[in-house]
């Protein structure tokens, strides 16, 4: 038994090449050994940039090579030039030009050649661009990621969106979804106020790849025709009443049709 200070170790994914899930990092902290169990705590920083990504504490059994850890709530500040999601994982290449703050907390466990991790992501006024969709601004809310290594969650995750440009700007939206991996998201529904009514999106899966062609079905709900004419500044046209219905929208290379 005993204790150690100024312990450092290098953290790297056992998988390499196309299967690599996270970028290399360094741990620095302290540890105590008693009865074949190591208790540790310290800070994790990205190896390349030195950016702190977690403050962790946990334990590891030397006897059966199993263990667990928790990582305290840590703010990640994204900047277009200095820090992007792909610096954390090569799989996070969908969103580009990310700005804003994401607080992350969670836990991990390992043993029997298996590694599991979960996390809570608290988005605070995050902005980004998806090549397959458009520009998003002021995205906020919490996401409970049940499988962090495969980026999966339970249904019912919700975010608010101050503004999104999907061919045209839409403001004050609500987005209901499920994470189903690094390459796509399962949309349960989305809604934006529009010309006295709403634009609603029907359930669908949406792929992030820049080459993807996504088709969603949007619903016009109680659109005011007079407001609609004024919104698009259509000259010499007057309409009254309300309109509704479904219309498909095709997203391809950042444009919507």
């Amino acid at each position: 038994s005993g204790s150690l200070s100024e312990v450092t170790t290098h953290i790297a994914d056992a998988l390499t090449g196309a299967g690599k899930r996270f970028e290399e990092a360094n741990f620095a902290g302290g540890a105590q050994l008693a009865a074949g169990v190591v208790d540790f705590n310290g800070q994790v920083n990205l190896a390349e940039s030195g950016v702190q990504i977690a403050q962790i504490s946990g334990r590891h059994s030397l006897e059966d090579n199993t263990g667990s850890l928790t990582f305290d709530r840590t703010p990640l500040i994204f900047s277009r030039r200095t820090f992007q999601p792909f610096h954390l994982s090569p799989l996070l290449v969908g969103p580009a030009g990310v700005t804003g703050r994401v607080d992350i907390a969670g836990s991990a466990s390992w043993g029997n050649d298996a590694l599991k991790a979960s996390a809570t992501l608290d988005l605070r006024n995050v902005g980004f661009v998806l090549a397959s969709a458009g520009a998003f601004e002021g995205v906020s809310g919490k996401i409970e990621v049940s499988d962090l290594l495969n980026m999966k969650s339970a249904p019912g995750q919700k975010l608010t969106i101050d503004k999104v440009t999907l061919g045209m700007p839409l403001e004050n939206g609500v987005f209901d979804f499920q994470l189903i991996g690094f390459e796509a998201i399962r949309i349960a529904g989305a809604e934006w106020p529009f010309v006295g009514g709403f634009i609603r999106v029907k359930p669908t899966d949406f792929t992030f790849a820049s080459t993807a062609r996504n088709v969603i079905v949007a619903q016009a709900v109680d659109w005011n025709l007079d407001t609609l004419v004024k919104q698009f500044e259509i000259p010499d046209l007057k309409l009254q009443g309300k309109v509704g219905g479904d219309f498909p929208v095709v997203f391809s290379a950042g444009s919507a049709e």
Side-chain angles (χ1 to χ4, degrees):
S1 63
S3 62
L4 294 171
S5 60
E6 298 184 6
V7 175
T8 61
T9 187
H10 189 69
I11 304 168
D13 196 335
L15 300 177
T16 59
K20 187 177 180 182
R21 296 163 296 181
F22 57 88
E23 296 294 349
E24 297 180 8
N26 294 320
F27 167 83
Q32 292 183 330
L33 174 62
V37 176
V38 179
D39 288 290
F40 57 88
N41 63 82
Q43 184 172 298
V44 178
N45 296 66
L46 289 174
E48 184 174 343
S49 65
V51 171
Q52 180 183 349
I53 57 174
Q55 182 72 33
I56 66 173
S57 59
R59 57 173 38 200
H60 178 80
S61 170
L62 300 178
E63 181 178 353
D64 57 12
N65 206 32
T66 62
S68 63
L69 62 81
T70 59
F71 42 102
D72 297 337
R73 188 181 183 96
T74 302
L76 302 179
I77 310 299
F78 291 99
S79 170
R80 289 185 178 92
R81 295 185 178 181
T82 59
F83 185 47
Q84 290 292 290
F86 63 78
H87 289 125
L88 298 169
S89 167
L91 301 175
L92 295 174
V93 294
V98 179
T99 59
R101 172 175 167 173
V102 178
D103 289 357
I104 181 171
S107 62
S109 62
W110 55 90
N112 299 320
D113 296 323
L115 173 63
K116 298 179 180 179
S118 61
T120 298
L121 309 178
D122 187 358
L123 283 70
R124 301 187 177 194
N125 198 32
V126 173
F128 56 89
V129 175
L130 290 177
S132 56
F136 295 74
E137 301 175 33
V139 180
S140 300
K142 289 186 179 181
I143 305 174
E144 299 289 342
V145 186
S146 55
D147 183 353
L148 186 60
L149 296 178
N150 294 297
M151 198 54 69
K152 295 183 178 181
S153 75
Q157 310 298 317
K158 289 183 172 62
L159 295 172
T160 59
I161 306 172
D162 288 349
K163 183 179 179 181
V164 57
T165 303
L166 306 173
M168 63 178 178
L170 299 171
E171 298 181 345
N172 302 318
V174 179
F175 188 57
D176 186 342
F177 65 99
Q178 177 184 8
L179 297 177
I180 57 173
F182 287 95
E183 299 179 352
I185 195 168
R186 179 155 294 155
I187 300 173
E191 182 177 284
W192 288 268
F194 187 71
V195 293
F198 298 94
I199 293 177
R200 289 178 181 156
V201 174
K202 289 188 173 182
T204 189
D205 289 352
F206 194 97
T207 303
F208 296 139
S210 60
T211 57
R213 182 179 183 273
N214 292 285
V215 180
I216 68 170
V217 176
Q219 292 178 298
V221 181
D222 294 333
W223 288 7
N224 185 298
L225 290 175
D226 180 57
T227 306
L228 182 65
V229 170
K230 293 177 181 177
Q231 173 90 8
F232 290 97
E233 300 180 344
I234 303 173
D236 303 321
L237 179 64
K238 292 184 178 181
L239 295 173
Q240 290 186 338
K242 294 185 177 181
V243 67
D246 295 354
F247 55 95
V249 182
V250 179
F251 291 92
S252 178
S255 64
E257 300 177 355

